[in-house]
Amino acid sequence: MTHMKRFQGIPMSKVCQSMRGLCKEEDYVFLGVSERTTKVTAEGAGAFEDDWRDKKEERVRRRLEREQLEKQRLQEVEESKKEREQQWRTHIEKLTSSQEKTLQDRLARLRRFREFQRKVLVEESGMEGGGASLTVNQLLTRM
């Protein structure tokens, strides 16, 4: 009601503008906020937006770091896997070559032993010549 007395002599358009300003002031008083704090809030909003951008950039940077670390970890795992496979191949090659050498040695010993048996049988039988070797071969085959 005090508004009516205050604005009686002012044309209507000016009244509306003044009423808006008055209402705005009353709203801020009611909310416990002044125009100065709204300006500070606007500046704070800019600071908040800057903080938000900084945080977003930080999240993006951390995500990229995590992706890079994951790539490095996967690369290390692949390298380790290849190294183990190479070690396994080397081990198998050594094992195979040692087994082949062992088999060759056994074959050579067996041949020497057969020669020795042949000589002993020829000496014991007292036969010399072609007929004796045929008989000895038959005896060795039976053994």
Side-chain angles (χ1 to χ4, degrees):
M1 298 297 159
T2 58
H3 302 302
M4 301 277 274
K5 292 177 191 173
R6 194 180 209 183
F7 299 116
Q8 273 180 348
I10 303 173
M12 192 60 182
S13 65
K14 298 276 185 177
V15 169
C16 289
Q17 290 175 357
S18 297
M19 287 295 286
R20 280 190 210 124
L22 186 62
C23 290
K24 203 178 217 182
E25 284 179 25
E26 288 176 354
D27 289 345
Y28 287 131
V29 169
F30 175 74
L31 295 172
V33 179
S34 67
E35 281 187 25
R36 283 179 281 161
T37 55
T38 57
K39 290 179 184 175
V40 171
T41 307
E43 292 171 1
F48 177 74
E49 190 173 309
D50 290 341
D51 287 345
W52 180 78
R53 282 190 190 122
D54 291 342
K55 287 179 181 178
K56 183 177 180 181
E57 289 172 2
E58 181 67 21
R59 285 192 304 268
V60 169
R61 186 185 59 76
R62 283 194 314 249
R63 182 181 50 113
L64 291 174
E65 284 179 0
R66 280 194 308 269
E67 288 174 358
Q68 185 178 8
L69 288 173
E70 182 67 17
K71 285 179 183 177
Q72 287 176 350
R73 187 186 70 79
L74 290 174
Q75 187 177 16
E76 289 173 358
V77 166
E78 285 296 321
E79 289 173 1
S80 173
K81 188 176 178 180
K82 287 178 183 177
E83 185 177 327
R84 282 185 304 210
E85 287 177 5
Q86 183 61 34
Q87 288 174 350
W88 178 252
R89 283 189 204 113
T90 305
H91 170 72
I92 294 299
E93 288 172 2
K94 287 179 182 177
L95 190 63
T96 303
S97 69
S98 70
Q99 287 177 345
E100 286 177 4
K101 185 179 181 306
T102 303
L103 286 174
Q104 293 295 328
D105 291 344
R106 286 178 68 190
L107 180 63
R109 282 196 314 267
L110 210 101
R111 286 183 178 154
R112 284 195 308 268
F113 179 69
R114 286 290 182 182
E115 269 312 304
F116 172 75
Q117 280 182 325
R118 188 172 282 119
K119 283 182 188 176
V120 169
L121 284 173
V122 167
E123 287 177 6
E124 285 182 354
S125 66
M127 296 186 256
E128 302 269 339
S133 68
L134 182 62
T135 310
V136 168
N137 284 337
Q138 288 174 351
L139 283 173
L140 287 174
T141 305
R142 287 183 189 167
M143 292 169 115

